[in-house]
Amino acid sequence: MSMTQEAQPWQAPEHDKPVEQVEGYNFAYLDEQTKRMIRRAILKGVAIPGYQVPFGSREMPLPYGWGTGGMQVTAAVIGENDTLKVIDQGADDTTNAVNIRRFFAKTAGVATTEKTSDASLIQTRHRIPEKPLTDDQILIYQVPIPEPLRWVEPRETETRKMHALEEYGVMHVSLYESIARFGRITTAYNYPVQVNGRYIMAPSPIPKFDNPKMHQMAALQLFGAGREKRIYAVPPYTDVKSLDFEDHPFTIQSWEENCALCGADDSYLDEVITDDAGGKMYVCSDSDYCAERREAGHVGDQGEPQTPAQKGAAE
Amino acid sequence: MYVAVKGGDKAIENSLHYLADIRRGDRRVPELSIQQIREQLPLAVDRVMTEGSLYDPDLAALAIKQANGDIQEAVFLLRAYRTTLPRFGASQAIDTGAMQIRRRISATYKDLPGGQILGPSFDYTHRLLDFTLAANGETPEAPTSEEPVADGMPRVADILDHEGLIELDLPDDEDGPVPDLTRESTSFPADRATRLQNLARGDEGFLLALGYSTQRGFGNNHPFAGEIRMGELAVSFEPEELGFEIEIGEITVTECQMVNQFKGSAKVPPQFTRGYGLTFGHCERKAMSMALVDRALRAKEFSEEITAPAQDEEFVLYHSDNVEASGFVQHLKLPHYVDFQGELVTVRELRKEIAAREAAERTDDDELAAAE
């Protein structure tokens, strides 16, 4: 998957040895013909950044809406030497992320990791890792509704025309309506972006906090929508601009609090309810980012300093 | 001290064991075999084969067992298996006129060549619970007719055809490739072959409701059940290397031909039009619903005004598949707390602004009152 460096076999981290592989299925589940069809769609997507390429999405052994698009893209690009990381809501240990990781460990026998920097492929639902990605990594998004114009126009025949003619007025009108009603653009996630100055694209339901990370990202970004049968892509180092107005510039979420465990003040925070009397705390949604900071000695106001022994146990 | 939730792997494993345990139920009761499901729940098997779009009664029975009897889950299992199978090509078009009839009824003619054959049907059962079944009473074998079913059993639509009273039933392109919506994403407007494929795989409940809606005035097209037939027929395939057809098996299908009114246009004199339904096995309700919706979807072809959901191609074709629908509806169970956090931040900010504005207005009012 390396783009600029010399190809070299990916070294699997010691503690993440592949689990037992299932028999009777092709490498990474899909047959080679299907993978080729998907790769062609990906190439077209890379050639036309932000354009939704229709593809012959297959029925996967996981339900639609649970990452079938992302899984097909992953299956099409994964190789034996890849190391896969799967996150959902930024965390590696959410059940759906665990399940998809298990699927590829089982059907492809590849190494998996929870460390962002160790992964060559990262499949994600709803987040972009906090740690900047590099040009030898691929980020694969699971996309529920690939059409950014869907909320203003339910018909596919219409939205395809609007994209073709670059007729994006209604999108700006809908954002303006939000400003007229609430004094601001209230879209908090799946915030529409314009890619390479041309196509308006749904970034998938990541929080708008993550939108700026897409801009000029070193890694290749691939998007798979299985149920809607669409693939799209943002090539490395491509402009991705969140839609806004001169007098209402795009802003991201911010918190007065820091992460209670690692003290980070620059990461997306999840609110955790701690009791039934309104008690709550904030923790990093990116579990690997948080763990790495704690290992490096950062401590939040409810965290405990890690001793070298704990560090070893955590691994 | 807060500890982040861990152990999804273990939880999933335990959940799977629990599910399997519930499937087995009370161990003192004998376990269901695949053969029992195939033989004694044949209509469930037929529905799973139809919506799973794979004709294999044993696999469908297995899917029903594995799904704890959840029919949609069984359809999903069968589809996920089907998707991995290689495609050898398309079979020859089946000829339902050559069907070994088990049931054949027409609502448009009192009698017709070949006669009305009632066959196995719930239609005239009294819906009274049969307690002898609960007492494991053995069912006597059904008597067989003294006369064999007539050889010639023309399709009702073909009878109307002789007089030119019904539109011709011509394939879009007989020699062209057969579209396969499981291999390519559907684009609109879709051709009729693709629409029928979609409806054949579509959820019975969804099509039933849509078909029903056309009868209640949402896209009415005055249907008559021209004919419903069910029985066995052979499937043939022509391998490229042989150059001639070979019979590869026999399947049971249910076919419904709806006959619908059409007032005619400047070019075409008044005649009847068709709505078509076909299913694997015996799925009569589904075949009839499908035929109603097929006809409703042809509105544009007959320059009928499109006003109802059943006439709306994108609406029907995008929402008929229960594997897609079930997955997307149920994905709401997946964690969404990152997005929800985003919304929380927004709503709190909006409320803070409004509170601040109201406080400022109150202060203004107070100052005004003090000034007076």
Side-chain angles (χ1 to χ4, degrees), chain B residues 9-229:
Chain B
D9 218 343
K10 189 87 192 141
I12 290 173
E13 208 172 294
N14 288 336
S15 164
L16 298 180
H17 284 309
Y18 195 4
L19 183 71
D21 189 68
I22 286 174
R23 173 191 308 132
R24 178 59 186 90
D26 189 336
R27 304 296 200 275
R28 288 167 301 183
V29 177
E31 189 175 350
L32 264 179
S33 72
I34 302 304
Q35 291 80 359
Q36 282 172 321
I37 295 170
R38 189 191 64 212
E39 294 302 319
Q40 296 173 33
L41 297 174
L43 297 185
V45 168
D46 287 352
R47 180 168 177 193
V48 170
M49 290 196 303
T50 297
E51 290 171 28
S53 52
L54 180 70
Y55 196 97
D56 191 319
D58 288 309
L59 288 182
L62 171 61
I64 291 168
K65 176 171 176 171
Q66 191 179 328
N68 297 16
D70 180 334
I71 296 300
Q72 289 196 6
E73 183 64 28
V75 168
F76 184 12
L77 283 169
L78 208 58
R79 290 265 193 99
Y81 174 77
R82 177 194 194 273
T83 186
T84 65
L85 301 176
R87 267 62 171 167
F88 297 115
S91 66
Q92 303 299 114
I94 53 171
D95 175 12
T96 51
M99 181 188 281
Q100 285 291 314
I101 295 282
R102 279 203 279 154
R103 170 166 166 81
R104 186 267 202 131
I105 53 165
S106 169
T108 51
Y109 293 101
K110 181 163 194 241
D111 199 7
L112 64 168
Q116 306 259 18
I117 312 285
L118 216 46
S121 173
F122 287 114
D123 289 351
Y124 303 102
T125 58
H126 297 144
R127 268 66 170 195
L128 301 171
L129 280 175
D130 180 354
F131 295 105
T132 60
L133 284 177
N136 288 327
E138 192 51 65
T139 308
E141 293 229 353
T144 45
S145 165
E146 277 141 36
E147 295 172 52
V149 171
D151 270 345
M153 196 78 84
R155 304 193 308 169
V156 167
D158 297 338
I159 299 171
L160 280 166
D161 210 5
H162 290 313
E163 271 189 78
L165 288 174
I166 194 161
E167 58 164 329
L168 289 172
D169 198 10
L170 300 172
D172 290 341
D173 176 10
E174 201 157 5
D175 300 319
V178 181
D180 182 350
L181 58 75
T182 67
R183 302 274 117 171
E184 294 148 39
S185 78
T186 304
S187 59
F188 294 93
D191 56 21
R192 191 165 175 220
T194 303
R195 289 200 309 249
L196 287 170
Q197 242 177 62
N198 177 292
L199 298 179
R201 290 157 58 88
D203 182 68
E204 179 173 316
F206 179 73
L207 295 185
L208 177 67
L210 277 180
Y212 176 47
S213 73
T214 67
Q215 290 180 285
R216 289 196 65 265
F218 287 84
N220 190 13
N221 44 48
H222 309 280
F224 296 97
E227 186 184 80
I228 293 156
R229 58 168 62 200

Side-chain angles (χ1 to χ4, degrees), chain B residues 172 179-181 186-202 207 274-276 286 290 293-302 306 310-314 316-318 320:
Chain B
D172 290 341
D180 182 350
L181 58 75
T186 304
S187 59
F188 294 93
D191 56 21
R192 191 165 175 220
T194 303
R195 289 200 309 249
L196 287 170
Q197 242 177 62
N198 177 292
L199 298 179
R201 290 157 58 88
L207 295 185
R274 302 168 192 251
Y276 189 75
K286 161 78 184 267
M290 177 176 167
V293 176
D294 169 47
R295 176 57 184 81
L297 286 175
R298 298 178 65 204
K300 210 191 280 174
E301 219 178 299
F302 301 115
I306 296 175
Q311 298 169 313
D312 186 327
E313 191 175 68
E314 269 200 53
V316 175
L317 300 196
Y318 266 131
S320 61

Side-chain angles (χ1 to χ4, degrees), chain A residues 201-272:
Chain A
M201 183 186 93
S204 89
I206 56 172
K208 64 178 178 174
F209 180 89
D210 285 339
N211 276 23
K213 296 177 190 162
M214 305 178 86
H215 179 63
Q216 289 289 326
M217 186 191 276
L220 169 64
Q221 303 175 70
L222 302 176
F223 300 77
R227 192 178 38 79
E228 300 279 339
K229 303 176 177 60
R230 296 289 185 274
I231 282 173
Y232 51 102
V234 176
Y237 304 109
T238 301
D239 283 349
V240 177
K241 188 182 178 308
S242 302
L243 300 183
D244 63 357
F245 297 99
E246 269 171 33
D247 52 344
H248 283 275
F250 174 77
T251 57
I252 61 172
Q253 288 102 344
S254 60
W255 289 263
E256 283 160 17
E257 299 81 358
N258 294 345
C259 171
L261 299 180
C262 78
D265 60 358
D266 58 352
S267 75
Y268 192 84
L269 299 178
D270 284 333
E271 192 171 320
V272 180

